[in-house]
Amino acid sequence: SASANKPVLTLFTKKPCPLCDEAKEVLKPCNGRFILQEVDITLPENKVWYDKYKYDIPVFHLNGKFLMKHRVDIQKFEDQLRKLELQNH
């Protein structure tokens, strides 16, 4: 299926997170090109991420690799997304 080839963007977040909401707004133009997976770092099963990122959210991983934190660098994201899309074709 098409979604199988879509890159997965993981957003490490917690509630409330105004910066995360802002980041999701910035990513909107790219919606449909990736799968957004949100990880709530305050959940007990995500303690390892909480310890790592509690002062840094939002943090983004693309296909499991660290991409950016605090604010979305849309140019960097676009570049990485394009690279992955090319690899998948």
Side-chain angles (χ1 to χ4, degrees):
S1 73
S3 68
N5 286 330
K6 279 188 191 167
V8 176
L9 183 69
T10 308
L11 164 60
F12 294 90
T13 184
K14 65 183 183 195
K15 303 276 183 271
C17 177
L19 279 178
C20 301
D21 297 337
E22 193 181 299
K24 284 191 275 191
E25 278 302 309
V26 176
L27 290 167
K28 274 213 171 106
C30 299
N31 280 1
R33 292 174 62 195
F34 64 92
I35 296 160
L36 181 66
Q37 182 182 44
E38 294 189 41
V39 175
D40 183 341
I41 64 169
T42 62
L43 297 176
E45 65 265 28
N46 296 326
K47 188 184 181 322
V48 60
W49 296 116
Y50 179 80
D51 292 343
K52 193 170 181 174
Y53 291 145
K54 60 186 168 209
Y55 303 119
D56 286 323
I57 62 163
V59 175
F60 293 93
H61 285 195
L62 188 58
N63 279 0
K65 290 197 187 85
F66 174 82
L67 181 66
M68 54 196 170
K69 65 183 181 184
H70 302 150
R71 293 193 182 279
V72 170
D73 179 339
I74 196 71
Q75 196 53 61
K76 181 178 186 178
F77 178 62
E78 281 269 353
D79 291 346
Q80 294 300 315
L81 202 52
R82 203 169 297 117
K83 251 180 230 161
L84 289 168
E85 286 168 348
L86 289 171
Q87 282 170 16
N88 286 335
H89 287 295

